[in-house]
């Protein structure tokens, strides 16, 4: 009997020891707003895989999609309080860092290559430095977002075609001012109301990335996707500065390297998803319309510049000079 008790005790201690050895030294809670199928969540899971493998389990990454840790601003606040560690966030960061407003300025970027040149260069360095300094968040990677395009029931190829059109926009003053300058009648409205308003002809147009045009089934109530590409933007994967620096330098390096691999992985997913989205919308009857983007940009520019502070204007000018 005594021998069995000793054996059980030894086995129990060994099991506890084994479990302890498997426990991570650091845990990163990574919350974001996208659903499980979204490419951002797929990228987050790739980051988890890389960090846990390359750290030999010293760092565990727990991914929480679908706003499980709260909305974007809630998670940022939680990171600053130390109850969460990572999230995916964009121009909301301008609440702390005004330079982050450049992440969603109409017609700041000509195309994807121009955007990448800015983000990977001095402009991106300035924005990231201000985010770290003022929000205490460290950008680890960035993802390009699908450009915002205009949908309507008549083709729009130039600003003149917008004359009087009632257009839903998010409640962003810069967006309202820009579309007014272009000749439309912008109407701020909650996203949840857009489909019914289009269906009832309360509005005649709306603007969003292809992913939202598809997921919201706007193809049922809109005929054309006008390739205005009026807002090209990106979004950051950020980690709390305190949380990152609490880890030894070798683990910090593993986290940073994994983030760069995640960025490349997401870029591949993004490119193929943009192709899929266009094909999907065309198959559902939407016609894609090429527009005179230079004419749109020229007409929008005065309203854009009027909305920018001197600090933001300097960044805008630097982007245009690239």
């Amino acid at each position: 009997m005594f021998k069995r008790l000793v054996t059980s005790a030894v086995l129990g201690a060994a099991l506890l020891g084994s479990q302890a050895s498997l426990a991570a030294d650091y845990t990163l809670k990574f919350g974001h707003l996208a659903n499980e199928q979204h490419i951002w969540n797929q990228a987050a899971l790739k980051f988890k895989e890389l960090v846990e493998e390359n750290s030999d389990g010293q760092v565990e990454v727990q991914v929480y999609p679908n706003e499980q840790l709260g909305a974007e601003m809630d998670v940022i606040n939680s990171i600053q309080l130390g109850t969460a560690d990572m999230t995916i966030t964009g121009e909301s960061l301008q609440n702390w860092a005004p330079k982050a407003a450049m992440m969603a300025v109409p017609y700041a970027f000509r195309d994807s290559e121009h955007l990448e040149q800015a983000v990977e260069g001095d402009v991106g360095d300035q924005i990231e430095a201000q985010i770290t300094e003022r929000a205490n968040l460290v950008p680890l990677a960035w993802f390009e977002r699908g450009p915002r395009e205009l949908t309507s029931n008549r083709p729009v190829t130039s600003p003149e075609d917008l004359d009087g059109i009632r257009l839903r926009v998010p409640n962003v003053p810069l967006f309202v001012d820009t579309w007014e300058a272009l000749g439309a009648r912008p109407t701020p409205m909650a996203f949840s109301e857009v489909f019914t308003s289009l269906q009832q002809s309360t509005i005649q147009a709306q603007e969003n990335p292809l992913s939202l045009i598809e997921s919201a089934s706007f193809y049922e109530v809109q005929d054309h996707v006008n390739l205005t590409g009026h807002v090209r933007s990106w979004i950051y994967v950020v980690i709390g500065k305190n949380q990152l620096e609490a880890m030894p330098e070798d683990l910090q390096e593993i986290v940073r390297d994994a983030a760069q691999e995640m960025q490349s992985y997401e870029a591949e997913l993004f490119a193929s998803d943009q192709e899929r989205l266009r094909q999907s919308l065309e198959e559902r009857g939407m016609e894609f319309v090429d527009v005179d983007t230079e004419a749109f940009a020229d007409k929008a520019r005065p309203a854009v510049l009027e909305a920018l502070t001197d600090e933001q204007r300097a960044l805008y000018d630097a982007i245009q000079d690239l």
Side-chain angles (χ1 to χ4, degrees), residues 148-157 161-162 165 167 198 204-210 213-214 218-228 230 278 281-282 284-291:
R148 298 180 79 92
E149 314 285 11
L150 175 71
T151 69
S152 61
N153 283 327
R154 68 185 194 219
V156 174
T157 61
D161 295 329
L162 287 172
I165 195 169
L167 162 70
L198 288 168
Q204 288 92 38
Q206 69 83 48
E207 50 82 50
N208 264 301
L210 297 184
I213 294 169
E214 181 196 48
F218 289 149
Y219 50 81
E220 295 181 7
V221 287
Q222 297 272 264
D223 297 330
H224 298 89
V225 178
N226 308 286
L227 296 171
T228 49
H230 49 278
R278 175 162 181 160
L281 292 170
E282 287 178 329
R284 287 170 164 83
M286 296 195 85
E287 179 183 345
F288 280 66
V289 179
D290 291 323
V291 309

Side-chain angles (χ1 to χ4, degrees), residues 38-158:
H38 196 282
I39 60 175
W40 292 351
N41 191 58
Q42 294 177 47
L45 293 175
K46 170 61 73 172
F47 174 79
K48 169 184 170 68
E49 174 192 325
L50 291 166
V51 168
E52 292 179 352
E53 179 180 338
N54 295 336
S55 70
D56 293 325
Q58 292 181 76
V59 182
E60 178 188 3
V61 180
Q62 299 174 351
V63 178
Y64 297 91
N66 272 326
E67 296 188 335
Q68 291 178 46
L69 298 185
E72 181 181 344
M73 295 294 286
D74 296 328
V75 181
I76 291 173
N77 291 329
S78 295
I79 294 171
Q80 293 169 332
L81 291 170
T83 55
D85 304 288
M86 297 180 64
T87 194
I88 303 174
T89 181
E91 61 273 12
S92 297
L93 291 166
Q94 69 185 288
N95 287 286
W96 295 270
K99 290 183 179 181
M102 300 310 299
M103 296 172 68
V105 170
Y107 291 109
F109 303 100
R110 295 183 294 273
D111 49 36
S112 293
E113 290 74 22
H114 186 205
L115 183 144
E116 181 178 4
Q117 189 179 4
V119 182
E120 294 284 0
D122 181 63
V123 169
D125 289 345
Q126 289 188 52
I127 293 171
E128 292 171 26
Q130 194 175 71
I131 290 168
T132 300
E133 177 189 349
R134 301 193 183 182
N136 212 35
L137 301 171
V138 178
L140 293 174
W142 65 274
F143 303 153
E144 182 178 0
R145 302 166 88 171
R148 298 180 79 92
E149 314 285 11
L150 175 71
T151 69
S152 61
N153 283 327
R154 68 185 194 219
V156 174
T157 61
S158 70

Side-chain angles (χ1 to χ4, degrees), residues 217-247:
S217 302
F218 289 149
Y219 50 81
E220 295 181 7
V221 287
Q222 297 272 264
D223 297 330
H224 298 89
V225 178
N226 308 286
L227 296 171
T228 49
H230 49 278
V231 176
R232 293 182 179 274
S233 61
W234 73 99
I235 200 159
Y236 282 119
V237 176
V238 298
I239 187 171
K241 184 173 184 286
N242 296 341
Q243 291 91 320
L244 180 64
E245 293 181 350
M247 293 187 285

